[in-house]
Amino acid sequence: MFFASDNGSPVPPEVLAALARANEGYARGYGADEIMAHVTARLREIFEAPEAAVFLVPTGTTANALALATFCPPWGAVFCHTHAHVAEDECGAPEFYTAGAKLVLVPGAHGKMTPETLAPVLARTGAGGVHSVQKGILTLTNVTEAGTVYTPAEIAALSSMAREAGIPVHLDGARFANALVATASSPAGMTWKAGVDVLSFGGTKNGLMGVEAVVIFDPAKAWEFELRRKRAGHLFSKHRYLSAQMEAYLAEGLWLRLAMHANRMGGLVAEKVAALPGARLLHPAQANIVFADWPEGRHGPARAAGAVYYDMPAEPRREAARLVASWCTTEADVEALIAALTP
Ligand SMILES: *Cc1c(COP(=O)(O)O)cnc(C)c1O
């Protein structure tokens, strides 16, 4: 009954087997390993982007912060949703790595900004000339922090506003695979075809031991990213072990199968939690993350029965929770959770 986060899941056997295979003999360090060449080729193929630059980093925070730093000057504004991971969960890493760019929050229901909420923030930023931070970069998150998803058309609409404002677009895809399968989109359709310049391509939340890729669609930015990654201390010496995880993730559609399962289990949690007496979903559950509330009195018994999840702030006399399904959540786990939450 582990629903605290999808990072609590173990590593799929295919990935551990790939690590064991990679553990034979010698390999060049610092990303010059042969497996990394396959990873780059495979991601270029998956994204229909033969020129794209691909880098591996150990955490999503690193991926986001270094991507933003590469595309946004220190005097820039990083436009992000009010509850974006970059704003609430990265301990100031984006500000640190950009050398002080300012996060400018864009509101929007259910974790999503819209053209209507973005427009006024874009319009007023930089209006004070030299006295203001300048428009720097737009960053979107898909799957969002509220468990909703942007469709490629929604991303394209926001990106075109960024383009008109003369700034690039970053996508935080810590759960990119979950967003893709939720919208039945293509990787290219969700990214460069929708105006995305740089992607944090998640692996860890979807089963890897600890690897994210940064995919840069404009190869002219690649060298700067490489320098920033090294300078930040995030260029792995024994890099083949990162490469091997990502290669296994991309082989035979494993990344999509894992996400499909997580989303299916998330859908099951949403359906069954919503049916509990007096319960409501707080956001549309469109991938593997479910936010719900219910009349108070269930956290205690559910915890006592072994359910693990995060409490969320709730209205008086109610309790709220965030419940996350992962690649290895089973229907039996969901049934046990529902039994534990049933009055
Ligand atoms: C988990 C997560 C990240 C990356 O977090 P790390 O803990 O640094 O790996 C980034 N963005 C979102 C939306 C996330 O959920």
Side-chain angles (χ1 to χ4, degrees):
M1 275 192 269
F2 189 93
F3 292 88
S5 176
D6 31 10
N7 65 13
S9 64
V11 172
E14 292 90 333
V15 175
L16 278 187
L19 281 167
R21 277 197 306 278
N23 197 38
E24 295 288 329
Y26 297 90
R28 288 187 187 279
Y30 300 114
D33 55 285
E34 279 175 26
I35 308 174
M36 185 60 202
H38 296 159
V39 168
T40 301
R42 189 74 191 102
L43 277 170
R44 285 173 170 170
E45 196 174 81
I46 285 170
F47 280 91
E48 306 169 51
E51 310 262 274
V54 176
F55 301 103
L56 300 183
V57 292
T59 71
T61 298
T62 311
N64 287 342
L66 293 180
L68 292 173
T70 303
F71 282 83
C72 181
W75 49 86
V78 176
F79 299 100
C80 62
H81 188 271
T82 314
H83 299 301
H85 198 272
V86 292
E88 296 199 334
D89 297 294
E90 298 187 359
C91 196
E95 293 92 328
F96 177 72
Y97 282 112
T98 56
K102 178 172 176 162
L103 300 195
V104 174
L105 307 183
V106 180
H110 305 306
K112 293 166 73 173
M113 58 176 90
T114 64
E116 292 69 33
T117 65
L118 176 60
V121 183
L122 266 183
R124 71 173 174 257
T125 301
V130 73
H131 304 287
S132 307
V133 289
Q134 303 297 302
K135 296 177 182 70
I137 190 168
L138 172 65
T139 177
L140 304 171
T141 310
N142 215 14
V143 173
T144 73
E145 290 77 5
T148 53
V149 297
Y150 287 103
T151 63
E154 289 171 327
I155 292 175
L158 295 164
S159 291
S160 74
M161 294 173 69
R163 195 71 59 215
E164 270 169 44
I167 58 171
V169 179
H170 166 249
L171 186 66
D172 175 354
R175 297 187 180 85
F176 186 75
N178 305 79
L180 265 197
V181 302
T183 54
S185 313
S186 73
M190 178 75 83
T191 56
W192 64 269
K193 287 184 179 172
V196 172
D197 297 282
V198 56
L199 168 70
S200 299
F201 177 83
T204 307
K205 297 270 167 68
N206 197 26
L208 295 186
M209 189 178 284
V211 182
E212 319 278 305
V214 175
V215 182
I216 303 178
F217 296 105
D218 175 4
K221 288 286 187 185
W223 178 234
E224 179 178 336
F225 185 94
E226 276 202 68
L227 294 171
R228 287 183 178 278
R229 178 180 60 168
K230 176 65 191 186
R231 189 165 187 260
H234 281 120
L235 174 57
F236 271 50
S237 172
K238 269 188 153 72
H239 188 284
R240 65 170 131 164
Y241 298 97
L242 302 193
S243 312
Q245 293 179 59
M246 187 56 75
E247 187 185 44
Y249 187 60
L250 300 174
E252 291 158 32
L254 177 65
W255 62 301
L256 296 170
R257 279 185 281 127
L258 298 173
M260 231 174 271
H261 178 83
N263 284 10
R264 200 163 64 75
M265 291 299 112
L268 196 61
V269 170
E271 179 195 316
K272 292 189 177 275
V273 166
L276 290 169
R280 303 176 301 194
L281 296 184
L282 299 174
H283 302 298
Q286 296 174 330
N288 64 323
I289 310 176
V290 178
F291 289 85
D293 76 349
W294 47 69
E296 68 183 350
R298 300 315 307 159
H299 281 337
R303 292 268 150 68
V308 183
Y309 56 83
Y310 282 105
D311 295 8
M312 301 300 292
E315 292 172 9
R317 286 184 299 286
R318 293 186 70 82
E319 290 170 349
R322 186 186 83 145
L323 304 158
V324 187
S326 80
W327 73 271
C328 72
T329 303
T330 63
E331 290 190 24
D333 294 333
V334 179
E335 295 298 344
L337 171 76
I338 297 304
L341 288 172
T342 301

